[in-house]
């Protein structure tokens, strides 16, 4: 079947995708610089799949090393590119770190792929490219709005770089997957999200509060124009998301793609408010969550959820798991890592 390179394969979405790739019979090589991940994740992956993926510790900013990697790994048929920095707040403070980490590395990889007879490339993009969309649910045709942060900008620029490259490199096929809000963990609780420091995202903050690491969850605003006043997002189980990567890759490997650059939204299509997420968590964990309503968080959009028609019909992928499933798995993971 050929080898698949997964950059950032020890990260949250990357590790779940490696599991799904291996379970579908692919031979995987992971590149990760361990800057925001742990080498122990490799054991978590192999204890689920029974196969240890090849691992190369490499900083993708090191262009000569990237070139060497591709020289010694000539059998690579596809690349799923997760490796990137992803903290929105940090990106505002250190924009050049984000442009260097997220853009230069993408350019180096694409340069190597241009040299291959044929290559399939999956890019980790985000619904953040839409900003506050004018109409809901959000389709792939919704206009890309000016990015709110350097992080968001790297996703927009990244998509443009890939699209421009596909225009001229006919050997290259690519898909950008625009994720809504990935949450949850593998049902085995052998891999999951490992936020460093204080979590910025809602679900890890909820599970850390419930387990006693954080005292209280702050709900950022209940005066938004939504039914209960809290913001609405489309929370998608990371295992569903991981499966979509395998399907997208196979679309390219089998030449089922309609053009050599495509984009797909990955979400459930269902929006949930912050209070609904808390309710779901309380239901599945049978625990009361300590939370309080505070002021709005700067930069938060009111509501975002996906129109999943294109992914459902063209990609042939649909989310199978719901919010309760995702929170149940996130809670099981939190309890497992604190044992
Ligand atoms: C955030 C990023 C987004 C990124 C995405 C990746 C911001 C402003 N946006 O999106 O660019 O693509 O993560 O996963 O950081 N909430 C609370 N209390 C908390 C944390 C969150 O009430 O302690 C609320 C937020 O206001 C929001 C919802 O929970 O309404 C989800 O927040 P979060 O998990 O941070 O995701 P996004 O803001 O959608």
């Amino acid at each position: 079947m050929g080898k698949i390179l997964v950059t950032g394969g020890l990260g949250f979405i990357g590790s779940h995708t490696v599991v799904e790739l291996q379970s579908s019979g692919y031979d995987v090589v992971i590149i990760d610089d361990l800057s925001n991940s742990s080498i122990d994740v490799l054991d978590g992956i192999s204890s689920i799949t029974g196969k240890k993926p090849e691992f190369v510790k490499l900083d993708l900013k090191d262009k000569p090393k990237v070139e060497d990697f591709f020289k010694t790994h000539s059998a690579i048929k596809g690349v799923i590119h997760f490796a990137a920095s992803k903290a929105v707040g940090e990106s505002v403070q250190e924009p050049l770190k984000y442009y260097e980490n997220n853009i230069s590395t993408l350019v180096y990889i694409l340069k190597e792929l241009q040299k291959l007879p044929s290559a399939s490339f999956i890019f980790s993009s985000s619904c953040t490219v839409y900003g506050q969309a004018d109409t809901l649910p959000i389709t792939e045709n919704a206009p890309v709005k000016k990015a709110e942060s350097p992080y968001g900008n790297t996703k927009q620029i990244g998509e443009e770089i890939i699209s421009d490259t596909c225009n001229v490199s006919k050997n290259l096929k690519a898909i950008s997957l625009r994720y809504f809000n990935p949450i949850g963990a593998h049902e085995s609780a052998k891999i999951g999200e490992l936020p460093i420091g204080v979590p910025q995202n809602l679900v890890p903050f909820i599970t850390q509060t419930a387990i006693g690491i954080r005292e209280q969850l702050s709900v950022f605003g209940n005066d938004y124009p939504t039914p209960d006043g809290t913001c609405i997002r489309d929370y998608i189980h990371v295992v569903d998301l991981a499966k979509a990567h395998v399907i997208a890759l196979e679309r390219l490997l089998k030449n089922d793609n309609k053009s050599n650059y495509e984009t797909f939204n990955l979400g459930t299509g269902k929006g949930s408010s912050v209070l609904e997420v808390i309710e779901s968590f309380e239901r599945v964990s049978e625990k009361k969550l300590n939370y309080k309503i505070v002021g709005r968080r700067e930069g938060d959009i009111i509501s975002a959820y996906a129109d999943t028609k294109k992914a459902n019909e063209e990609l042939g992928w649909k989310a199978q798991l719901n919010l309760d499933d995702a929170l149940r798995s996130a809670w099981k993971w939190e309890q497992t890592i604190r044992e």
Side-chain angles (χ1 to χ4, degrees):
M1 279 168 121
K3 217 164 192 160
I4 306 302
L5 166 62
V6 181
T7 75
L10 296 183
F12 176 41
I13 309 171
S15 58
H16 289 81
T17 301
V18 171
V19 166
E20 296 304 322
L21 282 167
Q22 288 190 315
S23 305
S24 303
Y26 290 95
D27 201 5
V28 177
V29 50
I30 294 174
I31 287 181
D32 202 298
D33 67 358
L34 300 176
S35 61
N36 194 16
S37 61
S38 156
I39 191 67
D40 298 341
V41 175
L42 207 52
D43 294 331
I45 293 171
S46 37
S47 75
I48 297 170
T49 63
K51 274 178 288 184
K52 198 158 196 153
E54 184 186 343
F55 171 67
V56 179
K57 181 172 183 294
L58 199 157
D59 179 350
L60 292 166
K61 295 194 292 301
D62 190 337
K63 192 165 179 252
K65 290 245 170 67
V66 175
E67 290 167 356
D68 284 348
F69 173 86
F70 279 93
K71 278 189 197 125
T72 52
H73 290 79
S74 54
I76 286 180
K77 289 274 172 294
V79 177
I80 307 185
H81 181 48
F82 293 104
S85 299
K86 61 172 185 179
V88 176
E90 185 190 51
S91 81
V92 176
Q93 298 307 317
E94 294 179 69
L96 294 180
K97 173 178 170 183
Y98 277 69
Y99 290 116
E100 188 177 30
N101 281 359
N102 297 6
I103 302 297
S104 68
T105 56
L106 173 65
V107 171
Y108 299 159
I109 294 172
L110 291 176
K111 278 194 161 183
E112 293 310 304
L113 297 187
Q114 275 188 323
K115 298 176 190 166
L116 300 178
S118 110
S120 299
F121 185 76
I122 306 292
F123 181 60
S124 194
S125 189
S126 168
C127 69
T128 193
V129 301
Y130 300 118
Q132 179 59 69
D134 300 323
T135 44
L136 294 167
I138 304 172
T139 71
E140 287 79 355
N141 294 327
V144 166
K145 295 263 177 83
K146 184 176 164 28
E148 294 270 355
S149 68
Y151 160 76
N153 210 15
T154 65
K155 294 299 173 189
Q156 296 187 1
I157 296 168
E159 287 198 11
E160 284 173 5
I161 290 171
I162 299 162
S163 165
D164 290 346
T165 309
C166 285
N167 265 335
V168 291
S169 298
K170 296 302 171 199
N171 67 321
L172 189 62
K173 294 169 282 182
I175 291 177
S176 287
L177 296 175
R178 294 173 173 168
Y179 317 146
F180 281 69
N181 287 56
I183 60 165
H186 195 266
E187 59 172 7
S188 64
K190 290 186 161 134
I191 54 172
E193 194 169 3
L194 284 169
I196 293 176
V198 182
Q200 304 300 308
N201 294 117
L202 177 63
V203 171
F205 207 104
I206 288 178
T207 56
Q208 288 197 9
T209 304
I211 208 126
I213 299 173
R214 312 281 155 211
E215 203 187 316
Q216 190 174 50
L217 169 78
S218 296
V219 172
F220 299 137
N222 69 346
D223 56 352
Y224 285 98
T226 61
D228 67 20
T230 63
C231 293
I232 290 175
R233 298 287 184 275
D234 185 341
Y235 296 92
I236 165 96
H237 198 301
V238 67
V239 172
D240 274 330
L241 199 64
K243 288 180 176 163
H245 288 76
V246 181
I247 293 170
L249 180 72
E250 287 182 338
R251 177 177 174 90
L252 298 182
L253 294 175
K254 291 180 185 156
N255 287 314
D256 287 341
N257 49 311
K258 287 201 175 149
S259 65
N260 69 340
Y261 176 65
E262 299 175 306
T263 53
F264 290 97
N265 284 345
L266 296 181
T268 64
K270 187 178 181 305
S272 304
S273 72
V274 178
L275 292 179
E276 284 170 335
V277 173
I278 294 171
E279 273 166 34
S280 168
F281 176 79
E282 290 184 334
R283 186 163 54 240
V284 300
S285 67
E286 296 175 0
K287 275 178 88 82
K288 272 258 152 269
L289 190 75
N290 183 22
Y291 71 90
K292 72 161 189 258
I293 310 285
V294 302
R296 293 182 176 192
R297 177 171 74 178
E298 201 187 332
D300 266 339
I301 55 166
I302 304 164
S303 183
Y305 49 95
D307 185 319
T308 61
K309 192 167 185 270
K310 190 177 177 201
N312 295 167
E313 293 179 4
E314 279 191 41
L315 204 54
W317 167 88
K318 195 174 193 313
Q320 303 294 325
L321 301 161
N322 63 25
L323 186 62
D324 281 6
D325 297 324
L327 288 165
R328 198 177 293 113
S329 67
W331 180 230
K332 184 175 170 192
W333 166 246
E334 185 71 63
Q335 290 171 293
T336 307
I337 53 175
R338 308 298 165 194
E339 268 169 10

